[in-house]
Amino acid sequence: MLRDPGRTALSCGSARADGEWSSAERGSRVRRTGPEEDVAGADAWQLGGMPGGLLQASYLTPGRYAAQYRAIVDVLLAQQQHTLTGVAATDLPDLIRAHLAASGADPALVDEAGFDLPARMTSLERWGVVDRFQDRALRDADFIRNLDRFQLTEIAAQLHQAVTSLGQDAASAAAATLAPGVLTANLTQLRDLAESDPGEAANAWSIILNTHQSMARAAAGWQARLASALAGTPTVDKITVVQETLRRYVDMWGAGVDVHSETITRRVNELAAVSDGVWRAVAARMLGPNADDSAIVDLVGTYRQTLETLRSWFDGPDCQARRLRRQMRDTIGPLLRGQRTLAAVGGHMSRRAELLALAARVEAAGDDEAGWQVWCNATGLYAARHLPGAAPAPAGNPSASSWWESDTVPVEARLRKQGPRGTTGTPARLADNTGNRKIARANAVAQQSLAAQTEAAVVARSGMRLSDWPPISEAETTLLLQFLTAILRGRSTASGTRTATTGDGRWSLRTEPVPGGADAVIHTPAGRLVHPDLILHISATTTGSFG
């Protein structure tokens, strides 16, 4: 008769025992041990002949008892740090209660009817997650006690360690911080000591392998995080993930690729030419004196494969490191689009056109210096520079009064005594600051007139040698020092001529050397200004001029 695959193994009085099923029947029907069995786990138990199944991962499938299985495996894995002889069945409930309490859950859940611990352990044993064995009976009373002990299998322990570490790549990312530099240093040491000192060469190989694995894990974590964050509709969390990942890549590892790629490639090519006899000696030191020949041959093959992997990582324009850089670069566009979308949804103004125009201008720049100048001119984010003297006027509106120079404002005694309570009732009469504003405007006009006179006096000396300059005022000295500071940052030609533009873009400067190399002495109210003699040409640019 045909049996329904969804029915249990013992039903209608016609089902056979588990041991009587044929191998064909086991591969074609769903096998369940009872009504309490987890449906998801049972489905994972029978995958037919489909390749790629991992039976040990059945406890992670989304079923009614997935949380119970996870708690049990968490406890068994944590106990491996304290004992290697397994966990007794009598101690397991108390350990699970302690684990639930530490996780903020109710420890009494273990005692509920839905938490059938023997059934859960039977399922874990059938899936190959745990091994069950009997403790040794020492007394007569032990023969009636439950002496079962449970221990995670090797595959299950490794699987659960990987599961619990998902999303926690801080250690791998930190280990990848100096990965290119560490690889360079140890590949150099391996090249120098491979023939003369196999022991030190083996130590260098261990560091190379661990560093490469950490680097690969960090890169895989970055790629997975970016792929997940760039999928679907942009959200604030996704934008934050992309920004943090880009910053982590640049800060930790991006710059090292340019510095060390060429050296790593050269060292790999040199080590690829090393004979198998040398590698066998290094492998023998790593495996110990009792290593058999097949293990040594396998390890030598691992050495060759690792070198080829490093070559694929750092050699050539299409290597893995540069592909990773291009992936990081390609996320900038989606990042900007996502931020623009969020800004549009939030009612903020989008500056997409300005950003695209700026990106095109930077891309069209002839070199890095020109591109940096375009960026600075557009954003105002110039490099920090020292300005001599103090600012003559407050920032912002030139007609505004400085906080430190403006007159005091009267405050009523009631407001001083009562604070915010003094503002209740009838509003007080506002202070009349008309006179202060008039004085401030007059001061601003006077300062602007003085600045214009100073600029006119300095520009009038354009084309003169510094040694021919007459005594100058304090304001003229400040302006001259600003011009000389800008000239020092300008470009110099083979003839010694320098050209520059002031930071505010108002003045174009050009200097010509004076034969003889004498020093010019200019008298100022604060003393003498000594500077190498030169001819200073000053002209106003199209963006500004003196009044």
Side-chain angles (χ1 to χ4, degrees):
M1 61 179 296
L2 295 177
R3 297 189 179 93
D4 183 3
R7 298 175 62 86
T8 59
L10 301 177
S11 62
C12 301
S14 60
R16 288 170 287 180
D18 286 348
E20 298 175 357
W21 283 11
S22 66
S23 58
E25 290 175 323
R26 290 175 186 149
S28 60
R29 66 170 66 230
V30 177
R31 174 182 178 184
R32 299 181 182 177
T33 59
E36 76 281 355
E37 184 56 61
D38 189 357
V39 175
D43 292 340
W45 166 246
Q46 288 296 333
L47 295 177
M50 183 180 296
L54 184 60
L55 187 60
Q56 288 80 359
S58 300
Y59 74 96
L60 296 173
T61 55
R64 291 178 296 171
Y65 308 124
Q68 299 179 11
Y69 290 128
R70 177 68 178 266
I72 295 172
V73 178
D74 282 341
V75 169
L76 294 178
L77 182 62
Q79 288 302 309
Q80 288 186 348
Q81 302 178 7
H82 308 288
T83 176
L84 299 179
T85 58
V87 177
T90 54
D91 298 335
L92 190 55
D94 292 335
L95 293 174
I96 297 177
R97 292 188 186 95
H99 173 72
L100 293 177
S103 302
D106 185 6
L109 293 175
V110 180
D111 302 321
E112 293 184 356
F115 200 118
D116 190 351
L117 187 58
R120 303 290 91 77
M121 300 310 297
T122 300
S123 299
L124 291 175
E125 180 186 8
R126 187 175 71 252
W127 295 332
V129 178
V130 299
D131 289 325
R132 186 198 302 259
F133 53 95
Q134 293 285 321
D135 205 354
R136 187 172 59 178
L138 301 177
R139 297 178 297 273
D140 293 340
D142 293 339
F143 288 96
I144 59 176
R145 294 174 59 241
N146 185 2
L147 298 182
D148 287 343
R149 298 185 72 87
F150 300 98
Q151 182 64 284
L152 289 179
T153 61
E154 180 182 1
I155 296 178
Q158 294 176 358
L159 173 64
H160 202 64
Q161 287 173 352
V163 170
T164 54
S165 64
L166 291 177
Q168 301 175 358
D169 66 336
S172 298
T177 304
L178 302 176
V182 172
L183 289 174
T184 300
N186 286 276
L187 285 172
T188 303
Q189 182 179 3
L190 180 62
R191 180 204 60 180
D192 297 338
L193 301 177
E195 298 181 0
S196 59
D197 193 344
E200 291 297 327
N203 294 335
W205 255 122
S206 300
I207 299 176
I208 291 171
L209 291 176
N210 292 333
T211 303
H212 171 256
Q213 292 173 359
S214 299
M215 179 182 65
R217 284 196 299 269
W222 292 332
Q223 290 172 323
R225 187 173 292 104
L226 286 177
S228 176
L230 294 176
T233 305
T235 62
V236 176
D237 294 336
K238 290 183 178 181
I239 296 297
T240 303
V241 168
V242 175
Q243 291 175 337
E244 291 180 352
T245 305
L246 285 174
R247 183 169 57 251
R248 187 178 303 175
Y249 167 79
V250 173
D251 294 344
M252 287 186 173
W253 193 61
V257 176
D258 292 334
V259 177
H260 298 283
S261 290
E262 183 177 354
T263 305
I264 292 176
T265 302
R266 186 165 56 252
R267 295 293 180 268
V268 167
N269 293 333
E270 294 170 353
L271 289 170
V274 175
S275 63
D276 288 342
V278 175
W279 292 129
R280 289 178 63 89
V282 176
R285 294 299 299 268
M286 292 188 70
L287 296 175
N290 297 326
D292 55 4
D293 188 69
S294 60
I296 293 177
V297 172
D298 293 340
L299 189 55
V300 170
T302 303
Y303 291 163
R304 299 288 188 186
Q305 183 179 1
T306 302
L307 291 176
E308 289 301 320
T309 303
L310 292 176
R311 190 198 307 275
S312 66
W313 262 91
F314 295 98
D315 187 18
D318 198 36
C319 61
Q320 181 67 21
R322 298 190 184 277
R323 288 201 300 268
L324 178 61
R325 166 181 290 179
R326 288 193 289 269
Q327 286 181 331
M328 295 292 176
R329 179 202 62 193
D330 294 341
T331 59
I332 297 177
L335 174 62
L336 294 177
R337 289 194 296 270
Q339 290 178 328
R340 185 180 69 254
T341 302
L342 293 180
V345 173
H348 301 288
M349 183 180 297
S350 174
R351 305 194 63 180
R352 178 176 183 271
E354 290 86 348
L355 289 175
L356 293 178
L358 176 58
R361 292 169 57 192
V362 173
E363 188 71 17
D367 52 13
D368 291 342
E369 184 176 358
W372 175 250
Q373 188 63 33
V374 171
W375 170 263
C376 292
N377 293 338
T379 62
L381 302 177
Y382 292 90
R385 60 189 182 95
H386 175 71
L387 298 177
N397 187 2
S399 63
S401 300
S402 172
W403 171 271
W404 305 105
E405 299 175 357
S406 61
D407 296 336
T408 59
V409 177
V411 179
E412 293 184 355
R414 185 180 66 168
L415 184 59
R416 293 197 303 267
K417 293 179 180 179
Q418 299 180 3
R421 293 180 299 169
T423 60
T424 60
T426 304
R429 182 179 179 182
L430 297 178
D432 185 5
N433 292 322
T434 305
N436 293 336
R437 290 195 294 269
K438 184 177 180 180
I439 295 174
R441 284 194 294 269
N443 291 335
V445 171
Q447 292 176 1
Q448 292 176 357
S449 177
L450 178 60
Q453 295 175 6
T454 301
E455 293 174 354
V458 173
V459 173
R461 302 182 180 95
S462 176
M464 296 174 54
R465 298 170 56 170
L466 291 182
S467 57
D468 296 335
W469 279 39
I472 58 179
S473 64
E474 181 178 355
E476 295 171 354
T477 304
T478 302
L479 184 58
L480 176 60
L481 290 177
Q482 293 181 8
F483 288 168
L484 295 177
T485 302
I487 280 294
L488 291 177
R489 297 194 304 268
R491 295 183 178 181
S492 177
T493 62
S495 61
T497 301
R498 287 180 176 268
T499 58
T501 303
T502 56
D504 54 7
R506 297 183 59 207
W507 305 102
S508 177
L509 308 174
R510 181 172 59 88
T511 61
E512 299 174 0
V514 175
D519 291 336
V521 179
I522 304 175
H523 295 276
T524 69
R528 297 185 305 167
L529 173 62
V530 181
H531 190 276
D533 198 8
L534 50 82
I535 300 175
L536 177 60
H537 298 274
I538 309 170
S539 61
T541 62
T542 57
T543 58
S545 62
F546 61 92

